[in-house]
Amino acid sequence: MALDLLFGAHTEPQAPRLLKGFPASPGVYEGLARVVREAAELPTVQAGEILITPATSPTFNVVLPLIGAIVTERGGALCHAAIVAREYGIPAVVGSV
C-alpha cells in the first residue's frame, strides 16, 4: 500500500458525472434505483424503487403504481412516462442524457 503511494500512478479524482433531463412531473424522491432495460425485467421492480429505463410504454403501467419516481433516457413533456407520472403524482425526469 505504501509503495503504491510512492511509486503508483497518481490520477486526479474525476468530478461526478452530471445528468440532465426534462422535469416531467414535480416532486422529490429518494430511494433505491432499479434499471429496467426491457419489459421482460418488470417483475424485478419492487415497491418504492426509482425506475430507470430507456422509455416506458403501456406495458409498464403494471408497475407504475408501485414505484417512487421515474427517470428515462428518451421522452419529453408528452411522452408516456411523463403523462402517467403526472397522473399518479410520481416525480419524473425524462430525456436524460
Side-chain angles (χ1 to χ4, degrees):
M1 179 79 166
L3 291 177
D4 286 338
L5 293 173
L6 291 172
F7 301 108
H10 296 285
T11 57
E12 294 296 321
Q14 294 181 352
R17 184 172 170 211
L18 179 65
L19 295 177
K20 296 181 181 181
F22 302 104
S25 182
V28 176
Y29 189 81
E30 186 175 323
L32 295 176
R34 172 76 59 180
V35 177
V36 174
R37 290 180 174 35
E38 56 188 38
E41 298 174 30
L42 288 175
T44 65
V45 176
Q46 301 293 314
E49 292 181 329
I50 301 167
L51 176 64
I52 300 176
T53 187
T56 64
S57 67
T59 307
F60 284 69
N61 289 353
V62 174
V63 298
L64 294 180
L66 300 174
I67 62 174
I70 303 172
V71 178
T72 67
E73 291 178 1
R74 296 188 297 269
L78 297 176
C79 73
H80 179 264
I83 293 168
V84 176
R86 287 190 296 267
E87 288 177 2
Y88 283 112
I90 300 169
V93 176
V94 297
S96 302
V97 290

